[in-house]
Amino acid sequence: MTATESSKQARRKAAMAVLAHSASAEISARLEAAALPAHQTLREPENGLVMVRGRIGGDGAAFNLGEATVSRAAVRLSTGEVGFGYVLGRDKQKAAMMALCDAMVQSEELAGLAEEQVIAPLRAALSTKRERKATEAAATRVDFYTLVRGES
Amino acid sequence: MYVAVKGGERAIENAHRLLAHERRGDRDVPEVSIAQISEQLSLGVDRVMAEGSLYDRELAALAIKQSRGDLIEAIFLVRAFRATLPRFGATEPVDTGEMQVRRRISSTFKDIPGGQILGPTFDYTHRLLDPQLAEGFAPEGPMVGDASGAATPRVTDILGRDGLIEPSPQGRADAIVGDLTREPLDFPAERDLRLQNLARADEGFLLALGYSTQRGYGRNHPFAGEIRFGEVEVEFMAEDAGFAVPLGSITLTECQMVNQFKGSATEAPCFTRGYGLAFGQSERKTMSMALVDRSLRARELGEELIAPAQDEEFVMSHSDNVQATGFVEHLKLPHYVDFQSELGLLRKLRKEFADATAAAPMREAAE
């Protein structure tokens, strides 16, 4: 894989991660505001399962922990870019929107638009949410202090 | 004469209609929503996901509603649903070290990097019923603290750096990961299969077994090295996309039990370990799982096999509450023919016994 390809893949993954963590309604609102490019469905959105794996001891050999529901879809833009949507849950609409976004991220004309209008605002909202969760947890961190008994 | 046994259909239909009516309860009381169950009975939902072996909050909440809060029935419903969907494949193994931690404690080290984070816990509550909750209660929002620069490495990784604890067993990259949903159980079972079995095992069963090891039935001297729960990202190698795609995050609880040390002539002594991992916030479950995982390693560690919790065939064959309830509850299905044959045999034996005892005094009298 060339450096350009790998950086493109990293960009696609980062966009997918933001979308996967965002609510369907928010993606849909952003996408509609950005105006949808012409595209066709390559894979009808469908629900299925993935077997989630853990590691023995957290860092050892893999084992099967249990399954999770997943939706997936694939689309192709009229300009040829093929996008894939994979997401936990059973929201086929979300998988389809993610596929469309993935295709847009790969398109030279649309990548900027997708980033500005869709991904960036969702990323900001997601990072605020994560930050809030982290600070809530941090408030429950124990601050040990030592009591000195008797004369010092 | 051949007698057809029919006539149950209407009774069954009406029983189901009555069930639906009873499930709704008093119709003057508002109906509970799936969102309410998912948000406000979230630990029940977590348990159904863990033991139903399917991560999907909405489905688990629906199952709890349908089962009227009978969690084993809900688990059964989730397992049945799972069989209706195709499997796309297996995810990349999750990295619990990268968890967005919402709770993380260690009972072995006071000062751990990242600190002891209590999170939303029942620990330290007084276990007094709270009358406020009975009359509608809006709690205050949570406090916020400084979360900057607080990486939370696994405690076992810290111990591992000095070789004080055994390393996790590494598998070959191309090794086939055992899957008990695809292959029937076979003994002895490897640790991957044991952990899969324990992860979906009945919490009460694991709790009792774990407790039994603490009380002396296969003692293994445990410390809770670390318990953490929070969100972990899941990636799936999508063949069509050609790379591992992020699917989103799931909530997991992990327990690292640090157990009695072991050494030999060739190996320096080090702590051994037991591991627990489950969907959702499932602390009791993962702690019990880690205790039982460790006790099931008795054979591998050359320990004397004396207790039920060390017997993998016993543990793994009886841990699944869907299987267990199926076999126990099938006893209430009609066994009319079986029972009639037993009854016939018993009557015959009793008659033989009566004839023999009636004949005996006569023999004695004759002698």
Side-chain angles (χ1 to χ4, degrees), chain A residues 123-144:
Chain A
R123 186 188 297 119
L126 184 64
S127 110
T128 310
K129 198 170 123 195
R130 283 202 174 140
E131 180 65 17
R132 200 193 66 234
K133 285 257 178 204
T135 56
E136 286 171 9
T140 70
R141 181 181 289 120
V142 182
D143 286 321
F144 289 107

Side-chain angles (χ1 to χ4, degrees), chain B residues 141-162:
Chain B
M143 296 295 288
V144 293
D146 179 14
S148 59
T152 48
R154 279 183 295 249
V155 167
T156 41
D157 295 352
I158 301 166
L159 271 174
R161 262 180 244 143
D162 299 326

Side-chain angles (χ1 to χ4, degrees), chain B residues 9 24 35 39 59 83 92 119 160 209 223 228 241 264 281 292 324 342 350:
Chain B
E9 290 91 342
R24 177 61 185 84
E39 291 298 308
L59 283 178
E92 301 295 304
L209 280 175
F223 292 97
R228 57 167 63 198
S264 67
Q281 185 179 0
V292 177
E342 294 256 324
R350 284 176 64 87

Side-chain angles (χ1 to χ4, degrees), chain B residues 253-295:
Chain B
T253 305
E254 179 185 60
C255 172
Q256 301 271 4
M257 217 48 103
V258 176
N259 299 74
Q260 71 193 8
F261 46 81
K262 184 181 183 319
S264 67
T266 52
E267 283 176 69
C270 62
F271 288 115
T272 58
R273 56 206 283 190
Y275 188 64
L277 186 68
F279 289 151
Q281 185 179 0
S282 310
E283 203 158 294
R284 186 186 302 117
K285 162 70 176 265
T286 46
M287 291 183 77
S288 306
M289 177 175 172
L291 288 173
V292 177
D293 172 48
R294 174 59 184 80
S295 65

Side-chain angles (χ1 to χ4, degrees), chain A residues 19 22-36 93-94 97 101 118 122:
Chain A
L19 293 162
S22 301
S24 200
E26 286 177 31
I27 304 173
S28 148
R30 298 274 167 201
L31 262 183
E32 271 161 35
L36 304 184
Q93 186 60 31
K94 185 171 173 180
M97 290 189 293
C101 290
V118 186
L122 292 175

Side-chain angles (χ1 to χ4, degrees), chain A residues 145-152:
Chain A
Y145 54 89
T146 315
L147 287 178
V148 180
R149 286 191 161 187
E151 309 277 318
S152 57

Side-chain angles (χ1 to χ4, degrees), chain B residues 42-334:
Chain B
S42 51
L43 301 189
V45 172
D46 286 346
R47 181 164 178 187
V48 171
M49 292 198 300
E51 294 172 33
S53 203
L54 182 65
Y55 195 95
D56 188 314
R57 292 201 74 79
E58 268 177 36
L59 283 178
L62 172 62
I64 290 173
K65 180 170 179 176
Q66 187 175 334
S67 68
R68 310 172 69 191
D70 178 341
L71 296 191
I72 292 184
E73 180 72 18
I75 290 158
F76 198 159
L77 291 170
V78 164
R79 293 266 187 98
F81 178 85
R82 163 214 165 259
T84 65
L85 289 177
R87 191 192 282 178
F88 299 156
T91 70
E92 301 295 304
V94 294
D95 184 358
T96 53
E98 291 294 314
M99 177 183 282
Q100 190 186 5
V101 162
R102 282 201 273 157
R103 168 169 166 80
R104 187 274 198 129
I105 54 162
S106 170
S107 68
T108 50
F109 295 105
K110 183 162 61 76
D111 297 308
I112 39 175
Q116 308 263 357
I117 299 167
L118 303 183
T121 178
F122 292 125
D123 295 352
Y124 321 107
T125 61
H126 296 295
R127 265 72 184 216
L128 297 174
L129 277 174
D130 183 355
Q132 281 187 105
L133 285 175
E135 35 198 58
F137 170 59
E140 292 175 83
M143 296 295 288
V144 293
D146 179 14
S148 59
T152 48
R154 279 183 295 249
V155 167
T156 41
D157 295 352
I158 301 166
L159 271 174
R161 262 180 244 143
D162 299 326
L164 291 169
I165 194 163
E166 58 174 353
S168 300
Q170 300 298 316
R172 292 198 328 274
D174 60 342
I176 293 169
V177 181
D179 186 353
L180 55 82
T181 66
R182 295 289 166 94
E183 302 286 333
L185 274 182
D186 198 11
F187 300 104
E190 293 300 316
R191 196 156 168 213
D192 55 352
L193 273 177
R194 299 202 302 255
L195 286 170
Q196 184 184 12
N197 178 283
L198 297 178
R200 56 198 255 141
D202 184 78
E203 179 174 314
F205 181 75
L206 289 188
L207 175 66
L209 280 175
Y211 181 43
S212 75
T213 66
Q214 290 180 288
R215 291 193 62 256
Y217 293 85
R219 203 181 282 285
N220 54 41
H221 204 63
F223 292 97
E226 185 179 347
I227 297 160
R228 57 167 63 198
F229 105 86
E231 278 62 53
V232 173
E233 304 214 4
V234 184
E235 287 194 348
F236 174 68
M237 180 59 213
E239 299 297 339
D240 46 10
F243 59 95
V245 297
L247 298 177
S249 295
I250 60 175
T251 305
L252 291 179
T253 305
E254 179 185 60
C255 172
Q256 301 271 4
M257 217 48 103
V258 176
N259 299 74
Q260 71 193 8
F261 46 81
K262 184 181 183 319
S264 67
T266 52
E267 283 176 69
C270 62
F271 288 115
T272 58
R273 56 206 283 190
Y275 188 64
L277 186 68
F279 289 151
Q281 185 179 0
S282 310
E283 203 158 294
R284 186 186 302 117
K285 162 70 176 265
T286 46
M287 291 183 77
S288 306
M289 177 175 172
L291 288 173
V292 177
D293 172 48
R294 174 59 184 80
S295 65
L296 289 178
R297 296 182 58 209
R299 184 168 37 88
E300 169 201 344
L301 294 168
E303 294 165 346
E304 204 186 348
L305 302 182
I306 46 165
Q310 296 169 320
D311 182 335
E312 65 184 49
E313 187 161 351
F314 177 80
V315 173
M316 293 175 72
S317 305
H318 300 109
S319 63
D320 191 293
N321 54 26
V322 175
Q323 277 172 13
T325 205
F327 203 50
V328 168
E329 292 200 50
H330 102 283
L331 289 173
K332 66 193 173 189
L333 297 176

Side-chain angles (χ1 to χ4, degrees), chain A residues 1-11:
Chain A
M1 199 172 4
T2 66
T4 353
E5 276 171 25
S6 98
S7 91
K8 189 171 181 184
Q9 195 177 93
R11 225 174 26 249

